[in-house]
Amino acid sequence: MADEMSNDLKAGALYYHRHPRPGKLEIQPTKPLGNQRDLAHAYSPGVAAACEAIVADPAEASQLTSRQNLVAVISNGTAVLGLGNIGPLASKPVMEGKAVLFKKFAGIDVFDIEVAENDAARLVDVVAALEPTFGGINLEDIKAPECFEVEENLKARMGIPVFHDDQHGTAIIVGAAVSNALELAGKSISDVKIVTSGAGAAALACLNLLVTLGARRENIFVTDIEGVVYEGREALMDRWKSIYAQKTEARRLAEVIPGADVFLGLSAGGVLKADMVKTMAEKPLILALANPYPEIMPDAAIAARPDAMICTGRSDFPNQVNNVLCFPYIFRGALDVEASTINEAMKAAAVKAIAALAREAPSDVVARAYGGDISGFGPTSLIPNPFDPRLILRIAPAVARAAMESGVARKPITDMAAYTESLSRFVFRSGFIMKPVFALARKAPKRVIYAEGEDERVLRAAQAVLEDGIAQPVLIGRPAVVETRLKRFGLSIEIGRDFELVNPEDDPRYRDYVATYLDVAGRKGITPDIARTLVRTNTTVIAALALARGEADAMLCGLEGRFSSRIKHIEDIVGLAPGVRALSAMSLIITSKGHYFLADTHVRDDPSADEIAEMTVMCAEHVRRFGIEPQIALLADSDFGSADTASAVKMRKALSLIRERAPSLEVDGEMQADSALSQVIREKVLPTSRLKGAANVLIMPNLDSANIAYQLTKILADALPVGPIILGPAKPAHILTPSVTTRGIVNMTAVAVVEAQAGDGETAGTKA
């Protein structure tokens, strides 16, 4: 993995891990410590009450401490994916990364623990001694065969779930893929021939689970670096691998692959040859899961066998086997019923849930997020997309139910429907909200022009968007300055080769730009002298003209100067989309509690009811591009008629107009902010409200309230802002804020590209 990494990616990854503070995790309190009484409750003397309650009843620990939502990610660093035996200290970045995935996808807190111990028995002692601290143990990157022994002994000794994700996470997803592929092929799992390349922890776990699902051992042929696993073989054998030793004269993969229905590769790139694939059974399933290079590339496999179904471990091919599909949600279900273990029944339930989700009709939300062309169940859709928001809603309840039915749940769930509904709080609750936007941008990258092309943040963003494949950057800047700064910052992109540069001091299109400017803005106070000056000196004007002339598909500006002057340039030069009366702005705030779109945060000072209605409909259209169904609250200082202030009356009228123009929108108001964010509070005021759950789009009555809320939330909630997103221009044109980071520029680039893809950037101001 490290050898294949570009120098740019290495530098970027190291910068990411170092700044703004080292590492990827922190610990935060969940209770207030604002006064002496809080301190007395949290520590001495009040904490004694909680301790005594646990002494009397150990089960109280799940209610009085964070233990039941706390998982340990534990490794000794002996088998780190793609890096091998790098030791515990060097494995810490990987374990922190795993911890982040637990938190982001399922709200599970994690301590990553790296243990300097290679002896399996002593490692078991270390981990087992941690049981009082944790609700579950996730073993990671421990080499085989020791990993089998460690997990086996820990499960016997500990009364909490122990799960080696390298084994079982992969196995569960493979099980779902095999189940669906065999259904499409019209085959029974009890009859199929399975051949593996690789006999490590993941491969053997996959085979064990497939046997649980109905595969027969006599139909399974295992190969590894020594060849076929056969009866009597002594080299590289252990008791876990010996289960699959066959009585056969075959010694090589090529000798056992003929007639195989399933190939499972967890070994090395290129080991499965096209000639071997040709000998496989009808409609074979090829799981080529080696990374970064599969055992066979999908195009080569399809060329050899057009009827083959193919899964890889890569995100750039269909059917990606990615452990994030399951491990956060398996632990979520297990923890929520206080399961004592994760047993075969729970793993089988996860397999069935994943397989069933792939057979469901594609979610409208997912389809919109990924370009509207998500294919239904079939050879290229055997397993769900790793970022399908329905995964937690299907897997966690299935695992919890299986734990209850198999008798390992200490705290059974009595209302499964309510439990499933509660899980919706984790859907799109993180920075991964940008994932579908990036996925869609990659499908058809557009030309994005950056007005401040000499700025370090823009230069770093240009390199990032090229690496991500989301846009074709066009920068405005002086060549000598740009080249000097590229070298200073250690960036490898080059003018002309990687991006186009517009030189404001000497561009051959200067006269044409002046003519265009006079043509579009000559009746808006722009004289020939002013036009000539601005086309030489104002990079926002240059970017807007390039966009208007079709030399770019979207523009980003705003790192310097006044917002108001830039919005006027965009309105004068780029113009408004059909049906739009005025520009407005929406900002996305991503917090630990969820994501919220706020409008209008930057443009309209005191919009009328009609303007509020227009803005709300445009907001809804943009929000759907994130793969999110908008739930809209019109905010004011009153709740549903409790006062008749100017803002309340305006928002009431706006609601009426919105329902006329977009009757399908889930929108209500006027309401106060706490009512918008809490259904419990809202139901006390208006139980019949059309808005259900917490609002994710907050429409403010004026610019003051919107911008103040936006700025306060950024600081107080330590939130990640995306935007502002300018609503209503004829083509995507967005104004960044001076405080924007490189990451913020990259995010807005993806937003602008997706907008440009939607009808050449025309913003639908009248669509529902």
Side-chain angles (χ1 to χ4, degrees):
M1 181 171 67
D3 291 341
E4 301 298 334
M5 192 185 306
S6 70
N7 290 331
D8 292 333
L9 183 55
K10 286 181 183 178
L14 291 173
Y15 184 89
Y16 173 88
H17 281 80
R18 286 189 176 116
H19 301 284
R21 53 186 291 187
K24 299 188 284 284
L25 297 171
E26 67 177 358
I27 297 173
Q28 292 186 340
T30 60
K31 299 293 192 298
L33 288 170
N35 52 45
Q36 185 60 39
R37 183 175 176 81
D38 290 341
L39 185 59
H41 285 158
Y43 198 56
S44 181
V47 72
C51 296
E52 291 168 350
I54 295 171
V55 170
D57 180 6
E60 282 292 298
S62 67
Q63 301 300 313
L64 296 172
T65 74
S66 62
R67 179 177 185 261
Q68 200 50 43
N69 195 54
L70 186 62
V71 166
V73 170
I74 298 179
S75 179
N76 63 1
T78 53
V80 179
L81 179 65
L83 298 171
N85 186 355
I86 60 174
L89 182 60
S91 76
K92 189 172 180 64
V94 180
M95 302 311 124
E96 283 191 356
K98 193 80 170 194
V100 169
L101 296 178
F102 267 106
K103 185 66 173 180
K104 290 294 187 180
F105 281 102
I108 295 171
D109 296 315
V110 168
F111 289 152
D112 65 287
I113 300 177
E114 294 73 35
V115 183
E117 182 54 74
N118 290 351
D119 180 80
R122 293 177 64 183
L123 181 59
V124 167
D125 289 339
V126 170
V127 177
L130 298 172
E131 183 168 354
T133 302
F134 297 102
I137 303 290
N138 184 89
L139 301 173
E140 194 77 18
D141 293 348
I142 301 171
K143 73 182 181 72
E146 287 87 346
C147 62
F148 302 120
E149 182 181 342
V150 170
E151 185 189 35
E152 186 178 272
N153 289 329
L154 286 174
K155 291 184 77 169
R157 288 176 58 173
M158 302 181 79
I160 59 176
V162 177
F163 188 81
H164 186 203
D165 184 51
D166 299 337
Q167 296 181 53
H168 308 301
T170 302
I172 286 165
I173 304 162
V174 164
V178 169
S179 298
N180 281 343
L182 295 184
E183 178 176 319
L184 288 172
K187 300 176 182 179
S188 169
I189 193 170
S190 62
D191 298 329
V192 297
K193 178 180 179 181
I194 301 170
V195 174
T196 79
S197 174
L204 294 178
C206 289
L207 295 179
N208 292 341
L209 185 55
L210 290 175
V211 169
T212 298
L213 297 174
R216 293 190 294 175
R217 282 192 175 89
E218 57 265 33
N219 294 338
I220 298 173
F221 293 79
V222 176
T223 70
D224 61 11
I225 195 170
E226 288 288 328
V228 174
V229 174
Y230 60 89
E231 289 184 3
R233 197 182 100 171
E234 296 181 358
L236 293 181
M237 293 297 290
D238 55 60
R239 64 185 175 92
W240 296 278
K241 193 185 299 184
S242 295
I243 294 172
Y244 295 102
Q246 291 279 18
K247 189 174 184 179
T248 177
E249 297 299 319
R251 294 295 182 265
R252 298 182 298 111
L253 174 62
E255 296 172 28
V256 293
I257 196 71
D261 299 279
V262 177
F263 169 81
L264 173 61
L266 284 153
S267 55
V271 301
L272 182 65
K273 308 302 181 183
D275 288 342
M276 298 182 194
V277 174
K278 291 177 181 178
T279 70
M280 294 181 71
E282 181 184 0
K283 297 181 180 178
L285 171 64
I286 297 171
L287 295 139
L289 306 183
N291 261 324
Y293 301 111
E295 285 77 3
I296 187 169
M297 293 299 287
D299 55 349
I302 290 296
R305 285 296 298 272
D307 62 337
M309 293 171 275
I310 304 168
C311 299
T312 71
R314 291 173 40 155
S315 61
D316 52 344
F317 295 114
N319 293 323
Q320 182 193 13
V321 174
N322 185 333
N323 286 15
V324 80
L325 269 165
C326 66
F327 73 80
Y329 317 124
I330 289 171
F331 269 95
R332 182 75 274 157
L335 294 174
D336 289 342
V337 295
E338 297 187 18
S340 59
T341 186
I342 295 175
N343 58 25
E344 294 304 306
M346 295 159 74
K347 288 186 278 187
V351 169
K352 293 176 182 177
I354 294 169
L357 179 56
R359 294 193 295 270
E360 289 185 29
S363 161
D364 289 344
V365 172
V366 176
R368 277 195 298 270
Y370 288 90
D373 59 354
I374 299 296
S375 56
F377 177 52
T380 59
S381 295
L382 297 174
I383 47 181
N385 185 289
F387 292 89
D388 191 320
R390 299 170 295 177
L391 283 164
I392 192 170
L393 305 178
R394 302 292 189 274
I395 299 173
V399 169
R401 188 179 293 107
M404 292 188 291
E405 292 173 352
S406 60
V408 298
R410 296 191 183 97
K411 185 182 177 183
I413 294 169
T414 56
D415 188 340
M416 191 57 71
Y419 170 65
T420 302
E421 176 63 28
S422 74
L423 294 172
S424 63
R425 70 189 186 277
F426 297 115
V427 177
F428 286 117
R429 188 183 170 175
S430 70
F432 288 106
I433 189 175
M434 291 300 301
K435 182 69 179 182
V437 179
F438 276 78
L440 187 54
R442 288 190 193 99
K443 291 192 173 184
K446 298 292 184 180
R447 298 165 300 170
V448 178
I449 189 166
Y450 301 83
E452 289 84 10
E454 298 176 0
D455 190 283
E456 177 184 357
R457 292 166 293 176
V458 171
L459 294 171
R460 292 189 180 279
Q463 176 137 338
V465 301
L466 283 165
E467 290 174 352
D468 285 342
I470 62 172
Q472 302 161 18
V474 180
L475 275 57
I476 300 175
R478 294 162 293 177
V481 174
V482 170
E483 287 178 351
T484 298
R485 293 182 179 179
L486 287 173
K487 290 178 182 177
R488 182 192 307 166
F489 304 139
L491 301 175
S492 63
I493 54 175
E494 295 181 9
I495 299 170
R497 186 192 71 182
D498 300 303
F499 64 92
E500 179 187 347
L501 186 70
V502 177
N503 181 2
E505 294 181 342
D506 184 24
D507 190 277
R509 295 165 292 189
Y510 170 72
R511 294 181 183 277
D512 294 334
Y513 275 31
V514 171
T516 300
Y517 197 8
L518 290 172
D519 185 50
V520 299
R523 293 181 180 272
K524 299 175 182 177
I526 301 300
T527 66
D529 285 343
I530 292 174
R532 283 190 287 270
T533 300
L534 291 179
V535 172
R536 283 287 192 212
T537 61
N538 192 306
T539 56
T540 297
V541 168
I542 298 170
L545 288 168
L547 182 60
R549 289 165 53 85
E551 295 166 3
D553 303 301
M555 67 170 281
L556 297 180
C557 65
L559 274 69
E560 300 171 357
R562 295 173 61 87
F563 190 96
S564 57
S565 62
R566 294 176 187 275
I567 201 75
K568 187 176 189 311
H569 290 317
I570 289 172
E571 190 165 359
D572 287 349
I573 299 170
V574 180
L576 303 179
V580 175
R581 301 177 188 179
L583 299 177
S584 55
M586 173 180 74
S587 296
L588 167 61
I589 289 288
I590 303 170
T591 77
S592 60
K593 295 184 179 298
H595 60 271
Y596 305 96
F597 295 87
L598 282 64
D600 175 357
T601 52
H602 287 80
V603 181
R604 302 193 196 188
D605 180 31
D606 186 17
S608 66
D610 190 66
E611 290 173 323
I612 290 284
E614 177 184 77
M615 177 200 316
T616 301
V617 175
M618 287 194 291
C619 283
E621 185 72 13
H622 275 263
V623 168
R624 289 191 176 108
R625 292 189 182 126
F626 288 83
I628 298 168
E629 194 58 38
Q631 296 170 282
I632 306 169
L634 306 181
L635 300 188
D637 59 348
S638 67
D639 263 328
F640 304 106
S642 62
D644 286 323
T645 61
S647 65
V649 172
K650 177 170 67 175
M651 299 309 258
R652 267 179 243 153
K653 184 177 179 182
L655 176 65
S656 178
L657 294 171
I658 294 166
R659 288 183 171 170
E660 289 177 7
R661 300 175 187 181
S664 64
L665 279 184
E666 185 179 339
V667 57
D668 212 339
E670 85 284 6
M671 68 182 77
Q672 294 179 342
D674 57 351
S675 298
L677 299 178
S678 170
Q679 184 164 334
V680 173
I681 295 174
R682 192 163 59 250
E683 285 181 343
K684 292 179 180 178
V685 182
L686 188 69
T688 60
S689 173
R690 185 170 179 174
L691 178 63
K692 302 301 178 185
N696 53 28
V697 181
L698 306 175
I699 306 296
M700 307 290 185
N702 54 50
L703 181 61
D704 286 348
S705 58
N707 193 264
I708 290 169
Y710 170 67
Q711 301 294 351
L712 282 175
T713 305
K714 279 199 305 181
I715 302 301
L716 298 180
D718 193 20
L720 170 67
V722 179
I725 299 168
I726 305 300
L727 307 174
K731 294 183 178 181
H734 300 292
I735 306 171
L736 306 170
T737 59
S739 62
V740 71
T741 62
T742 294
R743 180 183 181 186
I745 297 172
V746 174
N747 282 340
M748 280 305 300
T749 299
V751 169
V753 168
V754 171
E755 186 181 352
Q757 291 171 348
D760 293 327
E762 291 187 5
T763 303
T766 57
K767 291 183 180 179

